[in-house]
Amino acid sequence: MLADPSAETSADWESADVCVVNSCTVTAEADKDALRLVRRISRRNPRARLVVTGCLADRDRQALAEAAPGALLVGNRDKEGIAALLGLAGGPDAGHVSGLAGR
């Protein structure tokens, strides 16, 4: 959950306003699965702000840009700043991710 009081977790990504995909992939098959998920989110919830972070965001930005042209790509070393990039950080601890829901 985000520390920002206006932010809430969503039960599913199809109705979420923001979707963050942490693509911790180490195999070609895992890359394919992550790209498939990113495409699906982009297609089924086009109004959501989609953020892709993790290994794949570092390793294959071109494939991610093709899968979801509007996605914000954030490398591993910058993932702590995702809340601020989305405008959800309002103080020293605001925007800190303390847990994840779903995948």
Side-chain angles (χ1 to χ4, degrees):
M1 173 188 280
L2 290 170
D4 184 323
S6 67
E8 299 174 6
T9 58
S10 176
D12 67 278
W13 53 262
E14 290 180 321
S15 64
D17 295 324
V18 177
C19 296
V20 179
V21 176
N22 185 18
S23 62
C24 187
T25 62
V26 293
T27 66
E29 193 62 34
D31 287 354
K32 288 179 192 176
D33 288 345
L35 287 168
R36 189 175 309 121
L37 176 62
V38 167
R39 274 191 219 90
R40 186 176 303 136
I41 293 169
S42 182
R43 187 175 57 249
R44 291 189 187 171
N45 190 354
R47 73 183 190 296
R49 295 174 72 188
L50 176 58
V51 180
V52 183
T53 189
C55 303
L56 190 57
D58 280 332
R59 194 174 56 254
D60 199 346
R61 296 177 81 78
Q62 182 63 35
L64 285 167
E66 290 171 9
L72 175 62
L73 307 179
V74 180
N76 272 321
R77 73 170 188 242
D78 298 320
K79 69 170 62 173
E80 291 292 324
I82 289 174
L85 290 170
L86 295 172
L88 297 173
D93 293 325
H96 174 76
V97 177
S98 60
L100 300 173
R103 283 173 68 163

